[in-house]
Each structure stands twice: as structure tokens, then as C-alpha cells.
Amino acid sequence: MGEEKKPLPAGVWPTVKPFVNGGASGMLATCVIQPIDMIKVRIQLGQGSAGMVTKTMLKEEGFGAFYKGLSAGLLRQATYTTARLGSFRILTNKAIEANDGKPLPLYQKALCGLTAGAIGASVGSPADLALIRMQADATLPAAQRRHYKNAFHALYRIVGDEGVLALWKGAGPTVVRAMALNMGMLASYDQSVEFFRDSLGFGEATTIVGASSVSGFFAAACSLPFDYVKTQIQKMQPDAQGKFPYTGSLDCCMKTLKSGGPLKFYSGFPVYCVRIAPHVMMTWIFLNQIQKLEKKAGL
């Protein structure tokens, strides 16, 4: 990492840099991926195939509909990705120092990824809740819709109607999913970079694209079961007697296992992979470009 401390007092920029870079690359990736994510949510809510959903949305709601919830998506990246990528870099740098500068074994990278995921998700959980509610709003019956104008309005209303702690509703599953996702994403990326660059002798561009693809696949594979449970919990509504279908994440896991077996957790894996993997890939590619520009600028 280029640590020439020109513009800022010593110690501030090197510390802040991984966080700034992580947040910026995540937000840029979200701008590219948001329409795909919107279509994914509509498919999960049973509105037909990708082609049908796209056609219907364009015809009935116009192009802007694909970017509904963008404010929540960007706020989520600004909190969640800033925290997880920044803390992952700092944790791995500290571990490498303790390891006398040698590359870390995979299990240590996985531990750093788990920790970074937990930190990121705790910080990003409120924005995540706002995003899910904003995307699912259009599919609810008119009487139950919440009509949030943007992410900040959503957060303000949730605090007003349900109290501050409601912002962390479903945070348990969110944090566990983030730990699984980041363990898969962060550890496999660093490991793949070493493999492609050092063992196969690939060039820089091929290494970044290859490692990003591997990282995207593992992020999806590790996190889909948790994502499935998280979505079920966050969108459940009480029945006529006021009873919720699941008492919590564990109950949801057990009922899902009973009714559909372990593979039920992987329903929609190709769609989920198409949604998670490109975002992970774009984040790494943008991050790499940002770091290159900073090196040129001597930051």
C-alpha cells in the first residue's frame, strides 16, 4: 500500500484509506447492479421470469422503477461496505505484520473475513432493513403499504412507529449472513489473487477478473441459505390471529428443512449468483482502479 503521507498529517490517511476505498467501490458497484437487484426481489416475490418482470416494469412504471430504493442501496454500501472492507484490510494488515510479512494461511483470512462481516453488518443493518422494505412495498396490498419516500424517510418512520431497536430487526440473520458472505468473499479473493498471480503467472487484469469471479461464487454459495432465512424473517406478516409464521431464525430453518429438505435453502441459486457475484466482482474491480488512481496521485 502506497503510504507516502503528503497531503494529510501522518497516520490519518493510511488509516482512513481502506474505509474510503471500500465504500466508494461498493457504491459504484451498486449503481451498476441496482436494476438487477430490483428484478431479483420481484422474482423472489413471485412476479414471473426476469424477462416478464422487466417488460412489465418498463411498461407500467417506466425506467425509474429499476432504481427504486437506490438511496437505501447507496446508504447500505456507505455504511456496510465501508465498514467491512476497511476493517478486513486493517485486520489482515495487522495479521500479516504479526506473521513477519508472509501471506496469511486461508483459515486466518477466513477469520478476518468473518469478523469484518460482523462489524459491517452491525453498522449496515438499518439501511438493509430500509432497502428490503422499500423494494417489497410495491408488492403489498394497498392497505399495508408503507410509502417510504427515500432511505432517510424510511429510517425516520421506522424509529417513529416501532422504536430505535426496530432498526436492528432481523439483525441476527443479517449479521450471520454477512459473516458467511464475507468469509467466502474476502478469504477466497485474497487466496485466488495469490494463486492466479504467483502459481499461474497471470497478468494483473486477468488476475483481478479471475479472482473476483471466484470470490463472487464463494460469496453466493456461503451466504444463500442465510439470505433465504433472512428474507423470510424480514418480510413475514402476522396472520388473522396475529401469529407470525416463524418464531425466529432457528424455527424458520427447522420448518424449511422439514418441508423442503436442505436444498430448499438453495432455491434460486442461479439468480442469487447473478445478483451477488457481479456486485462482488464490480466492487473488487472498482477498488483496484481506485487504488491505481491513488498511487498515480501519490496518495
Side-chain angles (χ1 to χ4, degrees):
M1 309 287 279
E3 303 248 325
E4 301 94 349
K5 297 154 185 125
K6 280 181 191 164
L8 280 173
V12 177
W13 176 239
T15 311
V16 175
K17 191 164 110 171
F19 292 94
V20 173
N21 294 357
S25 50
M27 287 167 88
L28 285 166
T30 291
C31 292
V32 178
I33 299 300
Q34 182 73 16
I36 301 176
D37 193 32
M38 191 68 202
I39 294 166
K40 177 213 73 156
V41 171
R42 297 282 177 102
I43 292 172
Q44 276 185 338
L45 295 166
Q47 297 194 345
S49 70
M52 271 169 58
V53 170
T54 312
K55 258 215 260 309
T56 322
M57 281 176 71
L58 275 174
K59 205 166 78 192
E60 290 176 9
E61 306 169 57
F63 183 70
F66 290 105
Y67 280 97
K68 225 185 224 149
L70 181 65
S71 62
L74 288 176
L75 180 67
R76 181 168 178 270
Q77 291 305 320
T79 50
Y80 169 59
T81 299
T82 302
R84 68 186 176 135
L85 288 182
S87 51
F88 179 68
R89 245 336 125 221
I90 283 176
L91 288 167
T92 45
N93 289 346
K94 286 267 180 287
I96 288 169
E97 267 171 41
N99 207 14
D100 303 326
K102 290 194 289 288
L104 296 180
L106 184 60
Y107 81 92
Q108 283 186 8
K109 287 179 193 152
L111 281 174
C112 290
L114 273 174
T115 313
I119 295 169
S122 307
V123 175
S125 191
D128 191 48
L129 181 71
L131 179 67
I132 294 230
R133 287 196 176 181
M134 283 169 80
Q135 285 179 325
D137 211 30
T139 62
L140 294 173
Q144 290 176 0
R145 285 187 194 172
R146 298 185 172 105
H147 302 295
Y148 299 139
K149 294 188 193 72
N150 56 44
F152 295 104
H153 179 234
L155 296 175
Y156 174 75
R157 280 268 310 276
I158 293 168
V159 171
D161 299 344
E162 306 165 51
V164 175
L165 288 179
L167 292 175
W168 279 271
K169 207 183 226 171
T174 306
V175 169
V176 173
R177 168 187 178 266
M179 287 166 74
L181 186 144
N182 285 288
M183 183 187 72
M185 164 183 173
L186 301 169
S188 68
Y189 179 76
D190 275 12
Q191 198 69 23
S192 308
V193 167
E194 284 165 28
F195 176 69
F196 286 132
R197 189 185 56 211
D198 306 336
S199 308
L200 301 179
F202 282 5
E204 189 198 20
T206 333
T207 297
I208 298 294
V209 173
S212 303
S213 319
V214 173
S215 169
F217 176 79
F218 278 104
C222 290
S223 66
L224 181 58
F226 301 104
D227 186 71
Y228 180 85
V229 172
K230 178 179 88 89
T231 306
Q232 300 298 333
I233 297 281
Q234 278 180 329
K235 75 173 204 326
M236 66 183 179
Q237 297 263 5
D239 61 15
Q241 282 78 48
K243 252 189 79 173
F244 283 99
Y246 307 113
T247 53
S249 310
L250 204 63
D251 186 44
C252 180
C253 289
M254 288 314 186
K255 284 182 179 161
T256 308
L257 265 175
K258 248 188 217 145
S259 66
L263 284 178
K264 182 88 170 113
F265 292 107
Y266 278 95
S267 51
F269 184 66
V271 176
Y272 185 71
C273 222
V274 165
R275 144 81 177 70
I276 291 282
H279 195 283
V280 170
M281 286 172 70
M282 295 303 241
T283 304
W284 287 125
I285 289 164
F286 279 127
L287 185 59
N288 188 251
Q289 291 305 318
I290 291 169
Q291 285 170 340
K292 264 190 178 152
L293 287 171
E294 283 173 347
K295 244 195 194 123
K296 271 189 192 150
L299 287 171

